[in-house]
Amino acid sequence: MSLHVSFGSTYKINHSFNLNNAVSLGDLIDKCEQDKIPYNLQYGRNSIMTTIAADDSQDKDVETMCARLGINYKKYSTDSLMTPQAIMCRVAQPPKGMQMVKIDADKLEKLIASQHDNNIGHCEKDYKKYYLSDTDFMLKSGDEIPASTLYINPEMGKDNMLEYIKRFGKERINPDSIYINFSQRTDKPDHCVFFAMKDRGMTEIPVYMNQDSYEVANALGIVKR
């Protein structure tokens, strides 16, 4: 199990639209770009919400710059935003037709060891190679977090799989008889959020599932209650 220890702070700045604010915010963003401090901008109808996730060594620079520019901010300890409880509280409600389910990460890993028709390993490689910073920022931002969407589709169909498990037990399911996949639903790397949460030490990880996938996952014993 990998656990990232986080130091530093997350800063929230809510600016109304006007010329002075735009100039000040532009200078702050330039500083973030120069020092490679992660940030994002969310545009509202009459304002801009800026989120900055600074490492411990960057806190003083951000605060000094804000003081010089007259920028007010709210400051949050990164560690307080990155506990499993804090992360779980910010998981977005499931999309229509889905439900939020907590999955036992270790049991899912054991399941996919015998079910090779899955994209879990591919998604994890993408996470480590391309989306580590993006998903880390998603957790540190203090904003709502999309869970990963998990599909579990038996080759024999849901009803036949449920009957098979009822008769013979989940331990006797055939290898390579279940398709297991994460699906990206948004323009964010939501299919990689599962691995970011796992790296935070979470063992009960929320995912979105449709009803059929949930019933199969529950019968397979990988759902946490």
Side-chain angles (χ1 to χ4, degrees), residues 37-96:
I37 303 173
Y39 71 92
N40 74 3
L41 305 173
Q42 297 179 27
Y43 294 90
R45 180 173 296 178
N46 298 304
S47 64
I48 304 174
M49 173 62 77
T50 307
T51 302
I52 299 171
D55 290 338
D56 189 45
S57 62
Q58 299 166 327
D59 278 3
K60 185 176 180 181
D61 289 341
V62 172
E63 292 172 21
T64 299
M65 189 73 171
C66 285
R68 183 172 71 78
L69 295 170
I71 295 175
N72 296 318
Y73 56 81
K74 291 184 178 180
K75 178 180 178 181
Y76 304 87
S77 162
T78 300
D79 274 346
S80 70
L81 298 173
M82 296 281 273
T83 66
Q85 296 82 1
I87 291 171
M88 189 66 209
C89 287
R90 299 202 311 277
V91 175
Q93 290 300 305
K96 186 176 181 179

Side-chain angles (χ1 to χ4, degrees), residues 203-223:
T203 57
E204 302 176 13
I205 302 181
V207 298
Y208 302 138
M209 283 184 155
N210 61 22
Q211 182 64 25
D212 285 356
S213 293
Y214 166 74
E215 290 182 35
V216 175
N218 191 44
L220 290 169
I222 66 173
V223 173

Side-chain angles (χ1 to χ4, degrees), residues 5 8 14 17-18 45 49 69 108 113 119 146 148 168 172 181-182 189:
V5 177
N14 194 357
F17 284 128
N18 63 55
R45 180 173 296 178
M49 173 62 77
L69 295 170
L108 176 61
N119 73 345
S148 298
F168 303 108
R172 297 187 62 183
N181 292 287
F182 282 131

Side-chain angles (χ1 to χ4, degrees), residues 17-28:
F17 284 128
N18 63 55
L19 182 58
N20 289 335
N21 284 344
V23 171
S24 297
L25 186 58
D27 288 345
L28 179 60

